[in-house]
mmCIF file with all atom_site columns, all heavy atoms in Angstrom:
data_model
loop_
_atom_site.group_PDB
_atom_site.id
_atom_site.type_symbol
_atom_site.label_atom_id
_atom_site.label_alt_id
_atom_site.label_comp_id
_atom_site.label_asym_id
_atom_site.label_entity_id
_atom_site.label_seq_id
_atom_site.pdbx_PDB_ins_code
_atom_site.Cartn_x
_atom_site.Cartn_y
_atom_site.Cartn_z
_atom_site.occupancy
_atom_site.B_iso_or_equiv
_atom_site.pdbx_formal_charge
_atom_site.auth_seq_id
_atom_site.auth_comp_id
_atom_site.auth_asym_id
_atom_site.auth_atom_id
_atom_site.pdbx_PDB_model_num
ATOM 1   N N   . THR A 1 1  ? 104.238 152.015 118.885 1.00 96.00 ? 1  THR A N   1
ATOM 2   C CA  . THR A 1 1  ? 103.411 151.603 117.628 1.00 96.00 ? 1  THR A CA  1
ATOM 3   C C   . THR A 1 1  ? 103.755 150.203 117.278 1.00 96.00 ? 1  THR A C   1
ATOM 4   O O   . THR A 1 1  ? 102.821 149.414 116.914 1.00 96.00 ? 1  THR A O   1
ATOM 5   C CB  . THR A 1 1  ? 103.698 152.616 116.506 1.00 96.00 ? 1  THR A CB  1
ATOM 6   O OG1 . THR A 1 1  ? 103.421 153.897 116.966 1.00 96.00 ? 1  THR A OG1 1
ATOM 7   C CG2 . THR A 1 1  ? 102.741 152.290 115.302 1.00 96.00 ? 1  THR A CG2 1
ATOM 8   N N   . LEU A 1 2  ? 105.032 149.818 117.281 1.00 97.00 ? 2  LEU A N   1
ATOM 9   C CA  . LEU A 1 2  ? 105.464 148.492 116.905 1.00 97.00 ? 2  LEU A CA  1
ATOM 10  C C   . LEU A 1 2  ? 104.779 147.482 117.774 1.00 97.00 ? 2  LEU A C   1
ATOM 11  O O   . LEU A 1 2  ? 104.334 146.380 117.238 1.00 97.00 ? 2  LEU A O   1
ATOM 12  C CB  . LEU A 1 2  ? 107.006 148.368 117.052 1.00 97.00 ? 2  LEU A CB  1
ATOM 13  C CG  . LEU A 1 2  ? 107.761 148.813 115.796 1.00 97.00 ? 2  LEU A CG  1
ATOM 14  C CD1 . LEU A 1 2  ? 109.269 148.771 116.135 1.00 97.00 ? 2  LEU A CD1 1
ATOM 15  C CD2 . LEU A 1 2  ? 107.525 147.860 114.637 1.00 97.00 ? 2  LEU A CD2 1
ATOM 16  N N   . PHE A 1 3  ? 104.679 147.696 119.068 1.00 95.00 ? 3  PHE A N   1
ATOM 17  C CA  . PHE A 1 3  ? 104.037 146.747 119.936 1.00 95.00 ? 3  PHE A CA  1
ATOM 18  C C   . PHE A 1 3  ? 102.571 146.530 119.641 1.00 95.00 ? 3  PHE A C   1
ATOM 19  O O   . PHE A 1 3  ? 101.993 145.467 119.955 1.00 95.00 ? 3  PHE A O   1
ATOM 20  C CB  . PHE A 1 3  ? 104.145 147.175 121.426 1.00 95.00 ? 3  PHE A CB  1
ATOM 21  C CG  . PHE A 1 3  ? 105.538 147.004 121.975 1.00 95.00 ? 3  PHE A CG  1
ATOM 22  C CD1 . PHE A 1 3  ? 105.980 147.780 123.059 1.00 95.00 ? 3  PHE A CD1 1
ATOM 23  C CD2 . PHE A 1 3  ? 106.351 146.044 121.515 1.00 95.00 ? 3  PHE A CD2 1
ATOM 24  C CE1 . PHE A 1 3  ? 107.192 147.659 123.595 1.00 95.00 ? 3  PHE A CE1 1
ATOM 25  C CE2 . PHE A 1 3  ? 107.623 145.876 122.049 1.00 95.00 ? 3  PHE A CE2 1
ATOM 26  C CZ  . PHE A 1 3  ? 108.067 146.696 123.082 1.00 95.00 ? 3  PHE A CZ  1
ATOM 27  N N   . GLY A 1 4  ? 101.985 147.524 118.877 1.00 94.00 ? 4  GLY A N   1
ATOM 28  C CA  . GLY A 1 4  ? 100.571 147.386 118.546 1.00 94.00 ? 4  GLY A CA  1
ATOM 29  C C   . GLY A 1 4  ? 100.377 146.685 117.195 1.00 94.00 ? 4  GLY A C   1
ATOM 30  O O   . GLY A 1 4  ? 99.250  146.397 116.781 1.00 94.00 ? 4  GLY A O   1
ATOM 31  N N   . ASN A 1 5  ? 101.501 146.382 116.528 1.00 96.00 ? 5  ASN A N   1
ATOM 32  C CA  . ASN A 1 5  ? 101.437 145.686 115.209 1.00 96.00 ? 5  ASN A CA  1
ATOM 33  C C   . ASN A 1 5  ? 101.521 144.173 115.469 1.00 96.00 ? 5  ASN A C   1
ATOM 34  O O   . ASN A 1 5  ? 102.420 143.736 116.096 1.00 96.00 ? 5  ASN A O   1
ATOM 35  C CB  . ASN A 1 5  ? 102.592 146.135 114.267 1.00 96.00 ? 5  ASN A CB  1
ATOM 36  C CG  . ASN A 1 5  ? 102.316 147.519 113.714 1.00 96.00 ? 5  ASN A CG  1
ATOM 37  O OD1 . ASN A 1 5  ? 101.271 148.116 113.967 1.00 96.00 ? 5  ASN A OD1 1
ATOM 38  N ND2 . ASN A 1 5  ? 103.287 148.085 112.983 1.00 96.00 ? 5  ASN A ND2 1
ATOM 39  N N   . ASP A 1 6  ? 100.598 143.409 114.877 1.00 96.00 ? 6  ASP A N   1
ATOM 40  C CA  . ASP A 1 6  ? 100.437 141.997 115.260 1.00 96.00 ? 6  ASP A CA  1
ATOM 41  C C   . ASP A 1 6  ? 100.985 141.178 114.025 1.00 96.00 ? 6  ASP A C   1
ATOM 42  O O   . ASP A 1 6  ? 100.289 141.045 113.022 1.00 96.00 ? 6  ASP A O   1
ATOM 43  C CB  . ASP A 1 6  ? 99.041  141.647 115.480 1.00 96.00 ? 6  ASP A CB  1
ATOM 44  C CG  . ASP A 1 6  ? 98.774  140.213 115.833 1.00 96.00 ? 6  ASP A CG  1
ATOM 45  O OD1 . ASP A 1 6  ? 99.750  139.465 115.980 1.00 96.00 ? 6  ASP A OD1 1
ATOM 46  O OD2 . ASP A 1 6  ? 97.577  139.809 115.937 1.00 96.00 ? 6  ASP A OD2 1
ATOM 47  N N   . VAL A 1 7  ? 102.186 140.623 114.164 1.00 97.00 ? 7  VAL A N   1
ATOM 48  C CA  . VAL A 1 7  ? 102.828 139.831 113.062 1.00 97.00 ? 7  VAL A CA  1
ATOM 49  C C   . VAL A 1 7  ? 102.048 138.555 112.802 1.00 97.00 ? 7  VAL A C   1
ATOM 50  O O   . VAL A 1 7  ? 101.801 138.219 111.630 1.00 97.00 ? 7  VAL A O   1
ATOM 51  C CB  . VAL A 1 7  ? 104.269 139.519 113.334 1.00 97.00 ? 7  VAL A CB  1
ATOM 52  C CG1 . VAL A 1 7  ? 104.441 138.670 114.611 1.00 97.00 ? 7  VAL A CG1 1
ATOM 53  C CG2 . VAL A 1 7  ? 104.945 138.938 112.138 1.00 97.00 ? 7  VAL A CG2 1
ATOM 54  N N   . THR A 1 8  ? 101.555 137.887 113.804 1.00 96.00 ? 8  THR A N   1
ATOM 55  C CA  . THR A 1 8  ? 100.831 136.605 113.631 1.00 96.00 ? 8  THR A CA  1
ATOM 56  C C   . THR A 1 8  ? 99.514  136.922 112.894 1.00 96.00 ? 8  THR A C   1
ATOM 57  O O   . THR A 1 8  ? 99.120  136.193 112.018 1.00 96.00 ? 8  THR A O   1
ATOM 58  C CB  . THR A 1 8  ? 100.512 135.985 115.007 1.00 96.00 ? 8  THR A CB  1
ATOM 59  O OG1 . THR A 1 8  ? 101.758 135.765 115.695 1.00 96.00 ? 8  THR A OG1 1
ATOM 60  C CG2 . THR A 1 8  ? 99.802  134.706 114.812 1.00 96.00 ? 8  THR A CG2 1
ATOM 61  N N   . GLY A 1 9  ? 98.780  137.972 113.325 1.00 96.00 ? 9  GLY A N   1
ATOM 62  C CA  . GLY A 1 9  ? 97.565  138.351 112.639 1.00 96.00 ? 9  GLY A CA  1
ATOM 63  C C   . GLY A 1 9  ? 97.770  138.716 111.208 1.00 96.00 ? 9  GLY A C   1
ATOM 64  O O   . GLY A 1 9  ? 96.921  138.309 110.287 1.00 96.00 ? 9  GLY A O   1
ATOM 65  N N   . TYR A 1 10 ? 98.834  139.436 110.922 1.00 97.00 ? 10 TYR A N   1
ATOM 66  C CA  . TYR A 1 10 ? 99.141  139.817 109.586 1.00 97.00 ? 10 TYR A CA  1
ATOM 67  C C   . TYR A 1 10 ? 99.446  138.623 108.620 1.00 97.00 ? 10 TYR A C   1
ATOM 68  O O   . TYR A 1 10 ? 98.826  138.493 107.587 1.00 97.00 ? 10 TYR A O   1
ATOM 69  C CB  . TYR A 1 10 ? 100.360 140.758 109.591 1.00 97.00 ? 10 TYR A CB  1
ATOM 70  C CG  . TYR A 1 10 ? 100.887 141.036 108.181 1.00 97.00 ? 10 TYR A CG  1
ATOM 71  C CD1 . TYR A 1 10 ? 100.129 141.821 107.304 1.00 97.00 ? 10 TYR A CD1 1
ATOM 72  C CD2 . TYR A 1 10 ? 102.169 140.709 107.847 1.00 97.00 ? 10 TYR A CD2 1
ATOM 73  C CE1 . TYR A 1 10 ? 100.622 142.060 106.029 1.00 97.00 ? 10 TYR A CE1 1
ATOM 74  C CE2 . TYR A 1 10 ? 102.684 140.999 106.602 1.00 97.00 ? 10 TYR A CE2 1
ATOM 75  C CZ  . TYR A 1 10 ? 101.892 141.708 105.698 1.00 97.00 ? 10 TYR A CZ  1
ATOM 76  O OH  . TYR A 1 10 ? 102.412 141.973 104.439 1.00 97.00 ? 10 TYR A OH  1
ATOM 77  N N   . LEU A 1 11 ? 100.307 137.754 109.134 1.00 98.00 ? 11 LEU A N   1
ATOM 78  C CA  . LEU A 1 11 ? 100.653 136.543 108.266 1.00 98.00 ? 11 LEU A CA  1
ATOM 79  C C   . LEU A 1 11 ? 99.445  135.619 108.133 1.00 98.00 ? 11 LEU A C   1
ATOM 80  O O   . LEU A 1 11 ? 99.294  134.964 107.103 1.00 98.00 ? 11 LEU A O   1
ATOM 81  C CB  . LEU A 1 11 ? 101.872 135.842 108.876 1.00 98.00 ? 11 LEU A CB  1
ATOM 82  C CG  . LEU A 1 11 ? 103.196 136.626 108.858 1.00 98.00 ? 11 LEU A CG  1
ATOM 83  C CD1 . LEU A 1 11 ? 104.278 135.839 109.561 1.00 98.00 ? 11 LEU A CD1 1
ATOM 84  C CD2 . LEU A 1 11 ? 103.616 136.886 107.438 1.00 98.00 ? 11 LEU A CD2 1
ATOM 85  N N   . THR A 1 12 ? 98.659  135.527 109.172 1.00 96.00 ? 12 THR A N   1
ATOM 86  C CA  . THR A 1 12 ? 97.465  134.662 109.045 1.00 96.00 ? 12 THR A CA  1
ATOM 87  C C   . THR A 1 12 ? 96.532  135.231 107.959 1.00 96.00 ? 12 THR A C   1
ATOM 88  O O   . THR A 1 12 ? 95.947  134.502 107.206 1.00 96.00 ? 12 THR A O   1
ATOM 89  C CB  . THR A 1 12 ? 96.739  134.538 110.439 1.00 96.00 ? 12 THR A CB  1
ATOM 90  O OG1 . THR A 1 12 ? 97.587  133.978 111.341 1.00 96.00 ? 12 THR A OG1 1
ATOM 91  C CG2 . THR A 1 12 ? 95.511  133.721 110.306 1.00 96.00 ? 12 THR A CG2 1
ATOM 92  N N   . ALA A 1 13 ? 96.366  136.575 108.001 1.00 97.00 ? 13 ALA A N   1
ATOM 93  C CA  . ALA A 1 13 ? 95.525  137.261 107.042 1.00 97.00 ? 13 ALA A CA  1
ATOM 94  C C   . ALA A 1 13 ? 96.065  137.019 105.591 1.00 97.00 ? 13 ALA A C   1
ATOM 95  O O   . ALA A 1 13 ? 95.290  136.794 104.659 1.00 97.00 ? 13 ALA A O   1
ATOM 96  C CB  . ALA A 1 13 ? 95.418  138.665 107.347 1.00 97.00 ? 13 ALA A CB  1
ATOM 97  N N   . VAL A 1 14 ? 97.381  137.084 105.441 1.00 98.00 ? 14 VAL A N   1
ATOM 98  C CA  . VAL A 1 14 ? 98.007  136.800 104.174 1.00 98.00 ? 14 VAL A CA  1
ATOM 99  C C   . VAL A 1 14 ? 97.712  135.367 103.723 1.00 98.00 ? 14 VAL A C   1
ATOM 100 O O   . VAL A 1 14 ? 97.317  135.125 102.605 1.00 98.00 ? 14 VAL A O   1
ATOM 101 C CB  . VAL A 1 14 ? 99.464  137.048 104.200 1.00 98.00 ? 14 VAL A CB  1
ATOM 102 C CG1 . VAL A 1 14 ? 100.223 136.536 102.931 1.00 98.00 ? 14 VAL A CG1 1
ATOM 103 C CG2 . VAL A 1 14 ? 99.811  138.505 104.390 1.00 98.00 ? 14 VAL A CG2 1
ATOM 104 N N   . ALA A 1 15 ? 97.822  134.437 104.639 1.00 97.00 ? 15 ALA A N   1
ATOM 105 C CA  . ALA A 1 15 ? 97.579  133.052 104.307 1.00 97.00 ? 15 ALA A CA  1
ATOM 106 C C   . ALA A 1 15 ? 96.107  132.783 103.925 1.00 97.00 ? 15 ALA A C   1
ATOM 107 O O   . ALA A 1 15 ? 95.826  132.065 103.025 1.00 97.00 ? 15 ALA A O   1
ATOM 108 C CB  . ALA A 1 15 ? 97.999  132.108 105.483 1.00 97.00 ? 15 ALA A CB  1
ATOM 109 N N   . ASP A 1 16 ? 95.175  133.472 104.576 1.00 96.00 ? 16 ASP A N   1
ATOM 110 C CA  . ASP A 1 16 ? 93.797  133.255 104.340 1.00 96.00 ? 16 ASP A CA  1
ATOM 111 C C   . ASP A 1 16 ? 93.165  134.086 103.200 1.00 96.00 ? 16 ASP A C   1
ATOM 112 O O   . ASP A 1 16 ? 92.009  134.021 102.873 1.00 96.00 ? 16 ASP A O   1
ATOM 113 C CB  . ASP A 1 16 ? 92.927  133.582 105.652 1.00 96.00 ? 16 ASP A CB  1
ATOM 114 C CG  . ASP A 1 16 ? 93.200  132.503 106.782 1.00 96.00 ? 16 ASP A CG  1
ATOM 115 O OD1 . ASP A 1 16 ? 93.657  131.442 106.420 1.00 96.00 ? 16 ASP A OD1 1
ATOM 116 O OD2 . ASP A 1 16 ? 92.937  132.866 107.882 1.00 96.00 ? 16 ASP A OD2 1
ATOM 117 N N   . GLY A 1 17 ? 94.020  134.973 102.673 1.00 96.00 ? 17 GLY A N   1
ATOM 118 C CA  . GLY A 1 17 ? 93.548  135.876 101.582 1.00 96.00 ? 17 GLY A CA  1
ATOM 119 C C   . GLY A 1 17 ? 93.020  137.139 102.050 1.00 96.00 ? 17 GLY A C   1
ATOM 120 O O   . GLY A 1 17 ? 92.481  137.892 101.208 1.00 96.00 ? 17 GLY A O   1
ATOM 121 N N   . GLY A 1 18 ? 93.013  137.484 103.355 1.00 96.00 ? 18 GLY A N   1
ATOM 122 C CA  . GLY A 1 18 ? 92.474  138.685 103.827 1.00 96.00 ? 18 GLY A CA  1
ATOM 123 C C   . GLY A 1 18 ? 93.426  139.887 103.731 1.00 96.00 ? 18 GLY A C   1
ATOM 124 O O   . GLY A 1 18 ? 93.032  140.988 103.991 1.00 96.00 ? 18 GLY A O   1
ATOM 125 N N   . ALA A 1 19 ? 94.669  139.580 103.295 1.00 97.00 ? 19 ALA A N   1
ATOM 126 C CA  . ALA A 1 19 ? 95.656  140.692 103.148 1.00 97.00 ? 19 ALA A CA  1
ATOM 127 C C   . ALA A 1 19 ? 96.568  140.209 101.974 1.00 97.00 ? 19 ALA A C   1
ATOM 128 O O   . ALA A 1 19 ? 96.813  139.028 101.793 1.00 97.00 ? 19 ALA A O   1
ATOM 129 C CB  . ALA A 1 19 ? 96.481  140.924 104.347 1.00 97.00 ? 19 ALA A CB  1
ATOM 130 N N   . GLU A 1 20 ? 97.048  141.197 101.211 1.00 97.00 ? 20 GLU A N   1
ATOM 131 C CA  . GLU A 1 20 ? 97.974  140.866 100.094 1.00 97.00 ? 20 GLU A CA  1
ATOM 132 C C   . GLU A 1 20 ? 99.294  140.522 100.638 1.00 97.00 ? 20 GLU A C   1
ATOM 133 O O   . GLU A 1 20 ? 99.838  141.186 101.484 1.00 97.00 ? 20 GLU A O   1
ATOM 134 C CB  . GLU A 1 20 ? 98.084  142.108 99.103  1.00 97.00 ? 20 GLU A CB  1
ATOM 135 C CG  . GLU A 1 20 ? 96.761  142.345 98.335  1.00 97.00 ? 20 GLU A CG  1
ATOM 136 C CD  . GLU A 1 20 ? 96.494  141.238 97.320  1.00 97.00 ? 20 GLU A CD  1
ATOM 137 O OE1 . GLU A 1 20 ? 97.509  140.645 96.767  1.00 97.00 ? 20 GLU A OE1 1
ATOM 138 O OE2 . GLU A 1 20 ? 95.338  140.930 97.111  1.00 97.00 ? 20 GLU A OE2 1
ATOM 139 N N   . ALA A 1 21 ? 99.974  139.511 100.048 1.00 98.00 ? 21 ALA A N   1
ATOM 140 C CA  . ALA A 1 21 ? 101.335 139.193 100.423 1.00 98.00 ? 21 ALA A CA  1
ATOM 141 C C   . ALA A 1 21 ? 102.248 140.271 99.919  1.00 98.00 ? 21 ALA A C   1
ATOM 142 O O   . ALA A 1 21 ? 102.106 140.768 98.800  1.00 98.00 ? 21 ALA A O   1
ATOM 143 C CB  . ALA A 1 21 ? 101.743 137.867 99.824  1.00 98.00 ? 21 ALA A CB  1
ATOM 144 N N   . PRO A 1 22 ? 103.233 140.729 100.705 1.00 98.00 ? 22 PRO A N   1
ATOM 145 C CA  . PRO A 1 22 ? 104.126 141.762 100.285 1.00 98.00 ? 22 PRO A CA  1
ATOM 146 C C   . PRO A 1 22 ? 105.093 141.235 99.144  1.00 98.00 ? 22 PRO A C   1
ATOM 147 O O   . PRO A 1 22 ? 105.369 140.045 99.034  1.00 98.00 ? 22 PRO A O   1
ATOM 148 C CB  . PRO A 1 22 ? 104.971 142.098 101.480 1.00 98.00 ? 22 PRO A CB  1
ATOM 149 C CG  . PRO A 1 22 ? 104.945 140.817 102.318 1.00 98.00 ? 22 PRO A CG  1
ATOM 150 C CD  . PRO A 1 22 ? 103.570 140.170 102.033 1.00 98.00 ? 22 PRO A CD  1
ATOM 151 N N   . ALA A 1 23 ? 105.483 142.190 98.290  1.00 98.00 ? 23 ALA A N   1
ATOM 152 C CA  . ALA A 1 23 ? 106.442 141.836 97.267  1.00 98.00 ? 23 ALA A CA  1
ATOM 153 C C   . ALA A 1 23 ? 107.855 141.555 97.788  1.00 98.00 ? 23 ALA A C   1
ATOM 154 O O   . ALA A 1 23 ? 108.592 140.746 97.271  1.00 98.00 ? 23 ALA A O   1
ATOM 155 C CB  . ALA A 1 23 ? 106.606 142.957 96.259  1.00 98.00 ? 23 ALA A CB  1
ATOM 156 N N   . LEU A 1 24 ? 108.133 142.137 98.974  1.00 98.00 ? 24 LEU A N   1
ATOM 157 C CA  . LEU A 1 24 ? 109.399 141.974 99.626  1.00 98.00 ? 24 LEU A CA  1
ATOM 158 C C   . LEU A 1 24 ? 109.232 141.872 101.105 1.00 98.00 ? 24 LEU A C   1
ATOM 159 O O   . LEU A 1 24 ? 108.441 142.637 101.716 1.00 98.00 ? 24 LEU A O   1
ATOM 160 C CB  . LEU A 1 24 ? 110.241 143.222 99.279  1.00 98.00 ? 24 LEU A CB  1
ATOM 161 C CG  . LEU A 1 24 ? 111.648 143.270 99.917  1.00 98.00 ? 24 LEU A CG  1
ATOM 162 C CD1 . LEU A 1 24 ? 112.553 142.195 99.358  1.00 98.00 ? 24 LEU A CD1 1
ATOM 163 C CD2 . LEU A 1 24 ? 112.335 144.618 99.731  1.00 98.00 ? 24 LEU A CD2 1
ATOM 164 N N   . LEU A 1 25 ? 109.835 140.896 101.745 1.00 98.00 ? 25 LEU A N   1
ATOM 165 C CA  . LEU A 1 25 ? 109.851 140.727 103.179 1.00 98.00 ? 25 LEU A CA  1
ATOM 166 C C   . LEU A 1 25 ? 111.267 140.655 103.694 1.00 98.00 ? 25 LEU A C   1
ATOM 167 O O   . LEU A 1 25 ? 112.034 139.752 103.237 1.00 98.00 ? 25 LEU A O   1
ATOM 168 C CB  . LEU A 1 25 ? 109.125 139.530 103.589 1.00 98.00 ? 25 LEU A CB  1
ATOM 169 C CG  . LEU A 1 25 ? 109.199 139.088 105.032 1.00 98.00 ? 25 LEU A CG  1
ATOM 170 C CD1 . LEU A 1 25 ? 108.520 140.155 105.936 1.00 98.00 ? 25 LEU A CD1 1
ATOM 171 C CD2 . LEU A 1 25 ? 108.578 137.705 105.338 1.00 98.00 ? 25 LEU A CD2 1
ATOM 172 N N   . MET A 1 26 ? 111.689 141.493 104.640 1.00 98.00 ? 26 MET A N   1
ATOM 173 C CA  . MET A 1 26 ? 113.006 141.433 105.268 1.00 98.00 ? 26 MET A CA  1
ATOM 174 C C   . MET A 1 26 ? 112.846 140.963 106.688 1.00 98.00 ? 26 MET A C   1
ATOM 175 O O   . MET A 1 26 ? 112.010 141.460 107.413 1.00 98.00 ? 26 MET A O   1
ATOM 176 C CB  . MET A 1 26 ? 113.683 142.787 105.217 1.00 98.00 ? 26 MET A CB  1
ATOM 177 C CG  . MET A 1 26 ? 113.997 143.336 103.814 1.00 98.00 ? 26 MET A CG  1
ATOM 178 S SD  . MET A 1 26 ? 115.104 144.768 103.781 1.00 98.00 ? 26 MET A SD  1
ATOM 179 C CE  . MET A 1 26 ? 113.959 146.032 104.511 1.00 98.00 ? 26 MET A CE  1
ATOM 180 N N   . VAL A 1 27 ? 113.725 139.955 107.038 1.00 98.00 ? 27 VAL A N   1
ATOM 181 C CA  . VAL A 1 27 ? 113.601 139.377 108.396 1.00 98.00 ? 27 VAL A CA  1
ATOM 182 C C   . VAL A 1 27 ? 114.989 139.545 109.039 1.00 98.00 ? 27 VAL A C   1
ATOM 183 O O   . VAL A 1 27 ? 115.960 139.086 108.461 1.00 98.00 ? 27 VAL A O   1
ATOM 184 C CB  . VAL A 1 27 ? 113.209 137.852 108.298 1.00 98.00 ? 27 VAL A CB  1
ATOM 185 C CG1 . VAL A 1 27 ? 113.087 137.287 109.749 1.00 98.00 ? 27 VAL A CG1 1
ATOM 186 C CG2 . VAL A 1 27 ? 111.868 137.698 107.554 1.00 98.00 ? 27 VAL A CG2 1
ATOM 187 N N   . HIS A 1 28 ? 114.921 140.070 110.240 1.00 98.00 ? 28 HIS A N   1
ATOM 188 C CA  . HIS A 1 28 ? 116.182 140.306 110.989 1.00 98.00 ? 28 HIS A CA  1
ATOM 189 C C   . HIS A 1 28 ? 116.041 139.795 112.431 1.00 98.00 ? 28 HIS A C   1
ATOM 190 O O   . HIS A 1 28 ? 115.097 140.178 113.088 1.00 98.00 ? 28 HIS A O   1
ATOM 191 C CB  . HIS A 1 28 ? 116.615 141.733 110.962 1.00 98.00 ? 28 HIS A CB  1
ATOM 192 C CG  . HIS A 1 28 ? 117.756 142.022 111.907 1.00 98.00 ? 28 HIS A CG  1
ATOM 193 N ND1 . HIS A 1 28 ? 117.598 142.566 113.169 1.00 98.00 ? 28 HIS A ND1 1
ATOM 194 C CD2 . HIS A 1 28 ? 119.072 141.900 111.729 1.00 98.00 ? 28 HIS A CD2 1
ATOM 195 C CE1 . HIS A 1 28 ? 118.786 142.647 113.749 1.00 98.00 ? 28 HIS A CE1 1
ATOM 196 N NE2 . HIS A 1 28 ? 119.668 142.312 112.936 1.00 98.00 ? 28 HIS A NE2 1
ATOM 197 N N   . GLY A 1 29 ? 116.991 138.935 112.908 1.00 97.00 ? 29 GLY A N   1
ATOM 198 C CA  . GLY A 1 29 ? 116.965 138.549 114.306 1.00 97.00 ? 29 GLY A CA  1
ATOM 199 C C   . GLY A 1 29 ? 115.729 137.764 114.715 1.00 97.00 ? 29 GLY A C   1
ATOM 200 O O   . GLY A 1 29 ? 115.390 137.765 115.902 1.00 97.00 ? 29 GLY A O   1
ATOM 201 N N   . ALA A 1 30 ? 115.145 137.107 113.716 1.00 98.00 ? 30 ALA A N   1
ATOM 202 C CA  . ALA A 1 30 ? 113.851 136.472 114.022 1.00 98.00 ? 30 ALA A CA  1
ATOM 203 C C   . ALA A 1 30 ? 113.784 135.181 113.139 1.00 98.00 ? 30 ALA A C   1
ATOM 204 O O   . ALA A 1 30 ? 114.423 135.057 112.098 1.00 98.00 ? 30 ALA A O   1
ATOM 205 C CB  . ALA A 1 30 ? 112.649 137.371 113.668 1.00 98.00 ? 30 ALA A CB  1
ATOM 206 N N   . ASN A 1 31 ? 112.899 134.281 113.599 1.00 98.00 ? 31 ASN A N   1
ATOM 207 C CA  . ASN A 1 31 ? 112.735 133.020 112.908 1.00 98.00 ? 31 ASN A CA  1
ATOM 208 C C   . ASN A 1 31 ? 111.288 132.687 112.824 1.00 98.00 ? 31 ASN A C   1
ATOM 209 O O   . ASN A 1 31 ? 110.796 131.729 113.382 1.00 98.00 ? 31 ASN A O   1
ATOM 210 C CB  . ASN A 1 31 ? 113.474 131.853 113.617 1.00 98.00 ? 31 ASN A CB  1
ATOM 211 C CG  . ASN A 1 31 ? 113.526 130.601 112.796 1.00 98.00 ? 31 ASN A CG  1
ATOM 212 O OD1 . ASN A 1 31 ? 113.204 130.594 111.599 1.00 98.00 ? 31 ASN A OD1 1
ATOM 213 N ND2 . ASN A 1 31 ? 114.096 129.501 113.379 1.00 98.00 ? 31 ASN A ND2 1
#
């Protein structure tokens, strides 16, 4: 399921207003 989740598409949608920005984001082992 994780492989089917698209982080780039999600963040792009947040930037463009197509998705709500989360109240909390945790980042591990990634930049």
Side-chain angles (χ1 to χ4, degrees):
T1 306
L2 272 173
F3 285 153
N5 287 355
D6 181 6
V7 64
T8 303
Y10 170 66
L11 292 176
T12 300
V14 169
D16 291 341
E20 290 292 327
L24 177 66
L25 172 65
M26 295 191 291
V27 182
H28 171 261
N31 191 8

